Amino acid sequence: MLNFHIITLFPELIAAYCSTSIIGRGVKAGKISVHTYNPRDFCSDSYRKVDDTPYGGGPGMVLKPEPFYAAVESIARPADSPILLMTPQGKRFSYKEANSLARNSDITILCGHYEGFDERIRSLASHEFSIGDYVLTGGELAALVVIDSVGRLIPGVVGKHVSVKNESFVDGLLEGPQYTKPVEFRGMSVPEIVRNGNHKAIAQWRRQEALKRTFSIRPDLLAEAELDEVDEAYILSLKKQIES
Ligand code: ADE
């Protein structure tokens, strides 16, 4: 069981996604839980003001620290459980991070907002993550990316757990092509090799297709992938094909 605690000014965004599809099913099955906390509910003033003008001047408003601290302090969570802050300045979030986060019982996620937040909110976080080199209007989509990618690794959330084993990034490679019926579709046919029932040949073909795809689209991943001598030889042959 993994409990997500999401601090957000827009709890309805989180609730809508997390009640739907695979993650919704995981919640209903009791494998994960998703709780939201709105900083607005933790304001001490009657206007429930979560932002204020920036010191030093400038346009826009800045999220105030007090409601965010009060929201975090209200959460029933193990004291050493991770608190993630989603911002474009964070470390790039990846499959590796998702995997190590999946070992926790509780994960708290702070969603920022386009206006920016008081620097002291950063001190609440144990990790700061970005989901890519672009700026979102708020951290909610980024928090949902974490909930989805970590949640699906919890046993029982994705239907067949074996399907998590063969996917992209598990062995550091992009996943190769997959096919189902019909054999012929609009002039595109299923490769003969996956139809002939030779499991050893199919496994070799799948491995080569994964290597080929990774080599052409994400060559940077090859440096850290788990490759044996046969893989290395195949990559060398791909390089030679390009050169010739
Ligand atoms: N908040 C705004 N932009 C973001 C990004 N790229 N990643 C994570 N959180 C964000």
Side-chain angles (χ1 to χ4, degrees):
M1 173 75 168
L2 172 51
N3 306 301
F4 287 102
H5 307 280
I6 315 301
I7 297 166
T8 169
L9 293 165
F10 304 101
E12 62 280 10
L13 290 177
I14 305 292
Y17 187 85
C18 295
S19 57
T20 312
S21 187
I22 311 251
I23 295 300
R25 224 171 51 201
V27 170
K28 282 183 201 100
K31 308 292 179 192
I32 48 183
S33 75
V34 183
H35 308 274
T36 56
Y37 309 80
N38 191 337
R40 216 172 274 290
D41 297 333
F42 294 88
C43 293
S44 45
D45 64 307
S46 54
Y47 296 105
R48 308 215 300 161
K49 197 171 151 67
V50 290
D51 54 9
D52 210 333
T53 53
Y55 271 113
M61 301 286 270
V62 174
L63 294 172
K64 292 163 65 63
E66 306 96 309
F68 282 83
Y69 272 76
V72 170
E73 284 158 7
S74 78
I75 300 172
R77 52 175 278 276
D80 59 353
S81 62
I83 300 182
L84 320 184
L85 179 62
M86 306 313 294
T87 77
Q89 294 92 37
K91 183 180 178 206
R92 176 71 66 85
F93 186 73
S94 74
Y95 186 82
K96 255 189 213 159
E97 265 79 40
N99 244 321
S100 72
L101 284 170
R103 294 191 204 113
N104 291 283
S105 65
D106 292 74
I107 297 173
T108 301
I109 309 180
L110 291 159
C111 302
H113 199 45
Y114 70 94
E115 301 177 279
F117 51 81
D118 187 287
E119 186 66 19
R120 290 163 289 187
I121 290 176
R122 272 214 159 86
S123 307
L124 282 168
S126 59
H127 303 70
E128 195 166 327
F129 285 123
S130 164
I131 60 163
D133 292 340
Y134 39 78
V135 180
L136 303 165
T137 56
E140 285 74 17
L141 277 175
L144 287 172
V145 166
V146 173
I147 295 171
D148 197 282
S149 60
V150 176
R152 66 188 286 286
L153 296 174
I154 304 303
V157 172
V158 170
K160 274 198 204 128
H161 217 58
V162 281
S163 54
V164 173
K165 288 207 177 100
N166 291 321
E167 66 193 5
S168 292
F169 305 116
V170 167
D171 54 8
L173 298 177
L174 301 183
E175 192 180 12
Q178 297 190 79
Y179 293 93
T180 185
K181 293 169 202 71
V183 166
E184 284 290 330
F185 177 69
R186 300 199 180 189
M188 297 174 280
S189 50
V190 177
E192 177 62 37
I193 190 148
V194 284
R195 288 191 267 150
N196 70 11
N198 180 341
H199 296 292
K200 207 171 157 201
I202 292 171
Q204 185 191 26
W205 178 82
R206 285 192 174 143
R207 184 73 184 173
Q208 291 188 346
E209 290 299 309
L211 288 165
K212 205 192 289 176
R213 189 169 280 182
T214 310
F215 178 75
S216 69
I217 300 169
R218 291 291 307 277
D220 57 297
L221 293 176
L222 291 174
E224 291 216 21
E226 294 163 29
L227 304 178
D228 64 16
E229 283 157 33
V230 181
D231 296 333
E232 299 280 8
Y234 183 67
I235 289 166
L236 200 62
S237 76
L238 294 174
K239 281 185 187 153
K240 284 197 179 128
Q241 271 175 37
I242 288 182
E243 283 159 14
S244 63

